[in-house]
């Protein structure tokens, strides 16, 4: 019996023993094997071991519209740091920009406006003129988040604006007395934190503030758990308590504090919930930390240290093995493999003469976008893909 004549379940079993290079060579045997090997089911196991293939730890496929074989090729470039660099946008005034990526559309805040930039699928480049602009703040936009139907922004004027993505309607919430440093929103719930040392809670069903929590310290970051039962606040750590605290959504009571050995000033600047029980944080103390919220007491189970002792302004994960971080000096972006403690790759985006933090970064399966003080940078990992033969 010839190989193509074997039952499909037998072929799947045989191919499960092959690595990605062997599979690609096998696909050149004949057309029948080629079409079979190119199926996502054949590559799914291999893709789980690569960085940023879109297969999360729980098995969800984020980029299901892209063949897995192609994603594995690009993932090898992420691992090796092979990419093409570009600066799609520049501006003259130094800003504190923020980014959100939604499919093939990039949202970028510049001063008081948020521009909507479609991405060209052929090159992954930005359309230079924004398709739409969200405005309404009297000062700079400090943070904004996206939901399926709304864009929610917080500004240096203390305002929180809820923009409809389907119409021109904008609702202003009763904001803060000082600038809004952070925002998060999930399933109709909005949490904000401010320099005025408070965290505030709203729901979409009412434009009135549901409640205010005094924090007694500047709030730099907030994150709502995917389970929606709790949220986490990260403060400047200028007082004698942990900068990370978990709050119950219904009772608005502090459930617990995370960690006890933060030095003064080790504020938490960004946080990402990967699952309801896994929280990643970063900040002024130069560490990325992974917190397991299932343990009792809840504690840090792994950490990665920025090798050049720079504050970490932002992080993002791929839901599986990769972390990307942005540093406070020279526009340094680092890629980390969670299975290792040392940095995997780094990219310096600003020059030694003109240093800028990476204020925000976002990535897709093939591109990473980083916002610096005067420019937006892109890294295209499809460039010169490593051949798999």
């Amino acid at each position: 019996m010839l190989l193509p004549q074997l039952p499909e379940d037998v072929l799947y079993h045989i191919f499960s023993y092959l690595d990605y290079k062997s599979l690609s060579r096998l696909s050149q045997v004949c057309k029948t094997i080629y079409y079979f090997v190119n199926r996502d089911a054949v590559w799914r196991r291999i893709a789980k071991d690569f960085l940023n293939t879109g297969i999360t730890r729980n098995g969800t496929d984020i980029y299901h519209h892209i063949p897995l074989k192609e994603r594995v090729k690009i993932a090898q470039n992420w691992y090796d740091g092979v990419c093409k660099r570009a600066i799609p946008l520049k501006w003259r005034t130094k800003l504190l920009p923020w980014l959100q990526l939604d499919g093939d559309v990039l949202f970028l805040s510049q001063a008081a406006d948020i521009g909507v930039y479609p991405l060209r699928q052929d090159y992954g480049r930005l359309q230079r003129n924004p398709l739409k602009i969200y405005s309404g703040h009297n000062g700079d936009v400090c943070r904004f988040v996206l939901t399926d139907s709304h864009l929610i922004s917080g500004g240096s004027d203390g305002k929180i604006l809820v923009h409809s993505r389907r119409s021109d309607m904008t609702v202003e919430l009763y904001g803060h007395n000082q600038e809004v440093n952070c925002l998060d929103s999930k399933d109709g719930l909005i949490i904000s934190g401010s320099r005025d040392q408070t965290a505030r809670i709203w729901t979409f069903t009412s434009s009135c503030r549901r409640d205010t929590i005094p924090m007694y310290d500047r709030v730099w970051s907030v994150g709502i758990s995917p389970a929606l039962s709790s949220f986490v606040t990260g403060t400047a750590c200028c007082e004698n308590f942990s900068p990370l605290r978990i709050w119950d959504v219904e009772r608005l009571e502090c459930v617990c504090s995370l960690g006890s050995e933060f030095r003064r000033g080790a504020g938490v600047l960004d946080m990402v919930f990967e699952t309801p029980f896994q929280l990643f944080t970063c900040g002024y103390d130069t560490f990325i930390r992974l917190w397991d919220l299932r343990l009792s007491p809840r504690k840090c189970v792994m950490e990665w240290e920025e090798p050049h002792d720079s504050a970490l302004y932002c992080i993002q994960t791929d839901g599986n093995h990769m972390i990307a971080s942005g540093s406070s000096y020279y526009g340094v972006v680092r890629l980390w493999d969670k299975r290792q403690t040392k940095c995997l790759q780094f990219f310096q985006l600003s020059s030694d003469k003109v240093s800028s933090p990476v204020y925000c970064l976002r990535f897709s399966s093939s591109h990473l976008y980083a916002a610096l003080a005067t420019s937006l940078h892109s890294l295209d990992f499809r460039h010169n893909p490593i051949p798999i033969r």
Side-chain angles (χ1 to χ4, degrees):
M1 182 178 288
L2 299 176
L3 185 64
Q5 296 174 329
L6 291 173
E8 287 193 355
D9 57 340
V10 176
L11 288 175
Y12 280 127
H13 183 72
I14 293 172
F15 294 167
S16 69
Y17 290 95
L18 303 181
D19 62 15
Y20 73 99
K21 290 184 179 179
S22 300
L23 279 174
S24 295
R25 289 166 183 155
L26 182 64
S27 69
Q28 300 177 24
V29 170
C30 66
K31 288 184 178 180
T32 303
I33 293 295
Y34 173 83
Y35 289 117
F36 188 89
V37 168
N38 278 4
R39 294 180 183 178
D40 279 0
V42 175
W43 289 88
R44 193 172 183 85
R45 178 191 59 82
I46 294 173
K48 288 181 180 179
D49 292 331
F50 277 77
L51 301 181
N52 196 30
T53 57
I55 305 295
T56 63
R57 190 165 298 177
N58 61 12
T60 303
D61 191 347
I62 301 173
Y63 309 121
H64 54 85
H65 58 288
I66 306 173
L68 269 176
K69 181 180 178 181
E70 296 303 315
R71 283 184 264 166
V72 170
K73 289 182 180 180
I74 297 172
Q76 186 66 51
N77 283 344
W78 284 88
Y79 189 87
D80 295 331
V82 178
C83 64
K84 181 179 180 180
R85 304 189 188 194
I87 304 177
L89 292 174
K90 291 183 179 181
W91 47 90
R92 295 182 179 180
T93 306
K94 287 188 176 181
L95 304 173
L96 278 72
W98 194 253
L99 294 173
Q100 295 292 352
L101 191 60
D102 185 18
D104 58 356
V105 178
L106 186 75
F107 294 76
L108 170 66
S109 66
Q110 295 170 280
D113 297 328
I114 302 169
V116 182
Y117 295 88
L119 301 174
R120 292 173 55 184
Q121 290 302 309
D122 50 352
Y123 302 108
R125 297 175 182 172
L126 267 71
Q127 183 175 299
R128 286 196 172 273
N129 296 320
L131 183 67
K132 184 176 181 179
I133 294 177
Y134 294 93
S135 57
H137 287 281
N138 298 325
D140 289 355
V141 174
C142 300
R143 289 289 188 276
F144 67 93
V145 294
L146 298 176
T147 69
D148 290 340
S149 56
H150 293 86
L151 184 152
I152 305 149
S153 60
S156 60
D157 55 4
K159 289 183 181 180
I160 295 177
L161 302 180
V162 180
H163 309 269
S164 172
R165 295 178 62 181
R166 299 167 183 168
S167 68
D168 294 329
M169 186 176 69
T170 299
V171 176
E172 180 180 342
L173 304 181
Y174 179 78
H176 290 264
N177 299 326
Q178 296 184 45
E179 67 186 57
V180 180
N181 293 321
C182 50
L183 275 173
D184 198 12
S185 179
K186 285 185 178 70
D187 198 32
L189 180 68
I190 304 172
I191 310 288
S192 65
S194 170
R195 185 182 285 271
D196 66 7
Q197 303 188 358
T198 65
R200 294 186 174 177
I201 300 94
W202 290 266
T203 57
F204 278 132
T205 56
S206 173
S207 60
C208 297
R209 184 177 71 254
R210 194 177 113 183
D211 220 323
T212 299
I213 303 176
M215 301 296 297
Y216 308 107
D217 202 353
R218 288 168 291 174
V219 185
W220 289 133
S221 55
V222 295
I224 302 174
S225 167
L228 304 176
S229 58
S230 62
F231 64 92
V232 180
T233 56
T235 60
C237 199
C238 293
E239 304 298 331
N240 294 322
F241 48 76
S242 170
L244 279 169
R245 285 180 283 177
I246 302 177
W247 303 82
D248 184 272
V249 168
E250 293 299 325
R251 294 180 284 121
L252 298 180
E253 295 178 357
C254 181
V255 176
C256 71
S257 297
L258 298 178
S260 58
E261 298 180 356
F262 289 93
R263 54 185 172 83
R264 184 177 176 84
V268 178
L269 295 176
D270 199 10
M271 61 178 66
V272 175
F273 267 103
E274 198 166 78
T275 71
F277 309 108
Q278 290 185 312
L279 175 70
F280 288 85
T281 63
C282 70
Y284 283 118
D285 66 353
T286 77
F287 280 92
I288 302 170
R289 289 189 171 90
L290 168 59
W291 304 87
D292 192 330
L293 306 185
R294 294 169 295 186
L295 301 177
S296 182
R298 299 168 177 86
K299 63 180 181 180
C300 175
V301 293
M302 197 165 181
E303 57 185 28
W304 299 265
E305 184 177 10
E306 217 293 331
H308 290 166
D309 201 33
S310 299
L312 296 175
Y313 274 47
C314 54
I315 52 173
Q316 189 186 359
T317 76
D318 68 347
N320 195 12
H321 297 306
M322 191 178 83
I323 307 171
S325 65
S327 302
S328 58
Y329 295 116
Y330 304 115
V332 171
V333 170
R334 295 188 185 275
L335 303 183
W336 308 80
D337 188 331
K338 297 175 191 174
R339 297 163 291 189
Q340 306 173 17
T341 55
K342 292 185 178 180
C343 170
L344 181 65
Q345 298 292 342
F346 83 96
F347 309 91
Q348 183 177 326
L349 303 182
S350 65
S351 65
D352 294 339
K353 296 181 179 180
V354 184
S355 176
S356 168
V358 178
Y359 289 109
C360 186
L361 59 80
R362 294 290 183 265
F363 58 78
S364 64
S365 64
S366 57
H367 288 76
L368 185 146
Y369 300 95
L372 277 63
T374 58
S375 55
L376 175 71
H377 293 249
S378 73
L379 305 178
D380 182 356
F381 290 89
R382 299 174 306 174
H383 178 66
N384 189 26
I386 295 178
I388 301 178
R389 296 191 178 93

